[in-house]
Amino acid sequence: EIMPSLVGSEMCIRDSTYFIMKKLHKIILALLVISFTSCASYSNKISKDQQSELTKSNIHSIEGVYEFEAFESFVSKGGDVYEIDNDIEYPDYYILGTRLKLNPADVTMVVKIVSKNKISFTLKRKNTFLFEKTIKMKLRPNGFIHLKNKHVEIIGVPLLIGGIESEKMRIGISENGDLLLHYAYDIFGSLIFFSSGTRYNRTHYYKKINPSV
């Protein structure tokens, strides 16, 4: 004979498991919603005025040899656009995903379209090869080449102590034929359900030295 107390205990365990699974389902759903809504997004305020749109017919015009150091930089945050003075930015972190210790004075970057969905970036010191990376890409109707190197990372425990960080990049050419690199960053975090976050865009311009690769 099964004692009533044991039956009650089993029911209590079953109810507790159901309650935990229901809560877990809600947390997972909330994380999915946050991961989509907190994704970094591009602001056209920071690049549209100086952009020359790329198309299938002129996409190879982005090819060439560029300076390694940006000659002009802008940041867009909170709806305002600011020119950044003395903001020396190198494309190694944005494009290659790593920070190289190089003297920008004697380093150049070669951009080449490999295929309709791939583009390569090669760093050289004079005629010496330093680094190369090929990235998947897609030419969008907005005239930009969107690089498929988007980065999304969950930090800590979102909704409790942590957040979701995302960043992505696209490139284009300016009206003067220089390289335009547009970087979007977003981090959404919480501290015991109190939300906070940072979102900004940065655009850097790199001078074209030689249109031939």
Side-chain angles (χ1 to χ4, degrees), residues 79-91:
D80 297 318
V81 177
Y82 307 94
E83 183 173 0
I84 308 172
D85 295 329
N86 301 320
D87 181 46
I88 301 175
E89 287 293 336
Y90 311 136

Side-chain angles (χ1 to χ4, degrees), residues 91-161:
D92 52 351
Y93 171 74
Y94 294 117
I95 295 174
L96 305 178
T98 183
R99 184 69 75 185
L100 304 176
K101 295 182 179 180
L102 300 172
N103 180 6
D106 58 357
V107 176
T108 57
M109 178 174 63
V110 181
V111 178
K112 183 175 178 59
I113 301 293
V114 179
S115 65
K116 68 177 183 179
N117 59 0
K118 288 184 180 180
I119 187 169
S120 70
F121 301 89
T122 305
L123 299 184
K124 291 184 177 182
R125 180 182 287 115
K126 296 182 179 179
N127 293 323
T128 303
F129 170 85
L130 297 175
F131 197 95
E132 182 179 26
K133 186 168 185 177
T134 299
I135 303 175
K136 290 184 178 181
M137 58 89 168
K138 185 174 183 180
L139 177 63
R140 295 290 179 86
N142 58 17
F144 280 100
I145 292 176
H146 288 239
L147 303 180
K148 294 189 176 181
N149 60 347
K150 178 180 177 181
H151 173 75
V152 178
E153 181 179 359
I154 295 177
I155 303 171
V157 182
L159 298 181
L160 294 176
I161 302 177

Side-chain angles (χ1 to χ4, degrees), residues 34 158-160 162-163 187-198:
I34 290 174
L159 298 181
L160 294 176
I187 183 168
F188 178 88
S190 297
L191 179 61
I192 315 299
F193 298 99
F194 289 95
S195 301
S196 63
T198 300

Side-chain angles (χ1 to χ4, degrees), residues 64-79:
V65 182
Y66 296 88
E67 291 182 351
F68 186 61
E69 182 178 327
F71 68 87
E72 194 171 32
S73 299
F74 296 90
V75 62
S76 173
K77 189 175 182 181

Side-chain angles (χ1 to χ4, degrees), residues 185-209:
Y185 176 85
D186 180 274
I187 183 168
F188 178 88
S190 297
L191 179 61
I192 315 299
F193 298 99
F194 289 95
S195 301
S196 63
T198 300
R199 174 177 294 181
Y200 63 84
N201 279 221
R202 303 184 85 168
T203 296
H204 305 288
Y205 293 90
Y206 302 88
K207 183 70 68 179
K208 178 176 281 190
I209 303 172

